[in-house]
């Protein structure tokens, strides 16, 4: 059975108001990736959007009119941007007002290995464009990880986010399924480079 995220975490998460709230996680993760990054990476998180606006996560960004090296932007379609929007993929937005799990696995060896999973199932892309970033195209040094925002502070997320994880590898479909089916489990430490549970409480603001 699929564990209910709200039950597992008691409904706790960081709450973002879509106006001023976002979480600046600093530069240490991106600096560890460095420039001309030749590796792979994966991102997963749980979210419950009040409205499909703003962005869930922005990795490798200056957060000043900057798409960053990787981001998930919300709208009528969700958009995965990479390499400062030099490449993007779109898929249908899920419903608001309920918890969803999203995971993205990036393998620089092939465009076919960029996989997005929503609630444990791989999504079908509805659109996209640009040139797929190959190994060495992504420059992370001296940039930030932002949670709850996209591009700039003018595009902020409205809703709840919890259990954000980043790996420096392309995690497998079975790993993604495990993250979805067992949100209460502690992830394997193998290649996990950042973990923000964000379930310690239910504050008015993450700032």
């Amino acid at each position: 059975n699929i564990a209910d995220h709200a039950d597992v975490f008691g409904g706790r998460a960081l709450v973002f108001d879509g106006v001023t709230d976002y979480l600046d996680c600093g530069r240490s993760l991106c600096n560890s990736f460095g420039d001309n990054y030749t590796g792979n990476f994966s991102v997963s998180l749980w979210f419950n959007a009040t409205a499909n606006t703003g962005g869930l996560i922005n990795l490798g960004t200056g957060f000043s009119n900057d798409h960053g090296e990787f981001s998930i932007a919300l709208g009528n379609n969700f958009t995965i941007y990479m390499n400062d929007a030099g490449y993007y993929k779109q898929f249908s937005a899920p419903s608001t007002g309920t918890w969803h799990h999203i995971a993205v696995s990036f393998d620089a060896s092939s465009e076919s290995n960029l996989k997005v999973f929503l609630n444990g199932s791989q999504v079908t892309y509805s659109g996209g464009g640009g040139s797929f970033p190959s190994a060495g195209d992504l420059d992370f040094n001296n940039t930030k990880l932002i949670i709850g925002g996209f591009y700039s502070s003018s595009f902020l997320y409205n809703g709840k986010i919890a259990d954000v994880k980043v790996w420096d590898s392309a995690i497998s479909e079975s790993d993604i399924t495990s993250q979805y089916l067992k949100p209460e489990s502690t992830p394997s430490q193998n290649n996990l480079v950042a973990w923000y549970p964000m379930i310690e409480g239910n504050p008015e603001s993450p700032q």
Side-chain angles (χ1 to χ4, degrees), residues 63-116:
F63 206 50
S64 178
N65 301 327
D66 177 7
H67 288 84
E69 297 305 280
F70 171 82
S71 56
I72 303 176
L74 282 59
N76 293 331
N77 292 300
F78 277 23
T79 305
I80 305 294
Y81 287 106
M82 296 194 69
N83 200 17
D84 199 22
Y87 175 82
Y88 68 97
K89 285 291 188 182
Q90 294 181 317
F91 55 95
S92 298
S95 58
T96 57
T98 190
W99 282 103
H100 299 285
H101 180 256
I102 188 169
V104 182
S105 177
F106 167 72
D107 182 336
S109 65
S110 171
E111 182 176 8
S112 64
N113 289 329
L114 174 66
K115 298 179 180 179
V116 181

Side-chain angles (χ1 to χ4, degrees), residues 1-105:
N1 293 331
I2 298 171
D4 184 271
H5 182 277
D7 289 342
V8 168
F9 293 126
R12 295 172 294 168
L14 281 190
V15 179
F16 299 81
D17 66 4
V19 179
T20 61
D21 293 345
Y22 63 93
L23 186 61
D24 185 336
C25 301
R27 304 177 189 275
S28 60
L29 173 61
C30 293
N31 285 345
S32 71
F33 284 175
D35 286 344
N36 307 118
Y37 183 65
T38 59
N40 306 319
F41 65 85
S42 303
V43 173
S44 85
L45 59 87
W46 286 87
F47 69 98
N48 184 340
T50 302
N52 283 329
T53 57
L56 293 173
I57 191 167
N58 212 172
L59 178 63
T61 181
F63 206 50
S64 178
N65 301 327
D66 177 7
H67 288 84
E69 297 305 280
F70 171 82
S71 56
I72 303 176
L74 282 59
N76 293 331
N77 292 300
F78 277 23
T79 305
I80 305 294
Y81 287 106
M82 296 194 69
N83 200 17
D84 199 22
Y87 175 82
Y88 68 97
K89 285 291 188 182
Q90 294 181 317
F91 55 95
S92 298
S95 58
T96 57
T98 190
W99 282 103
H100 299 285
H101 180 256
I102 188 169
V104 182
S105 177

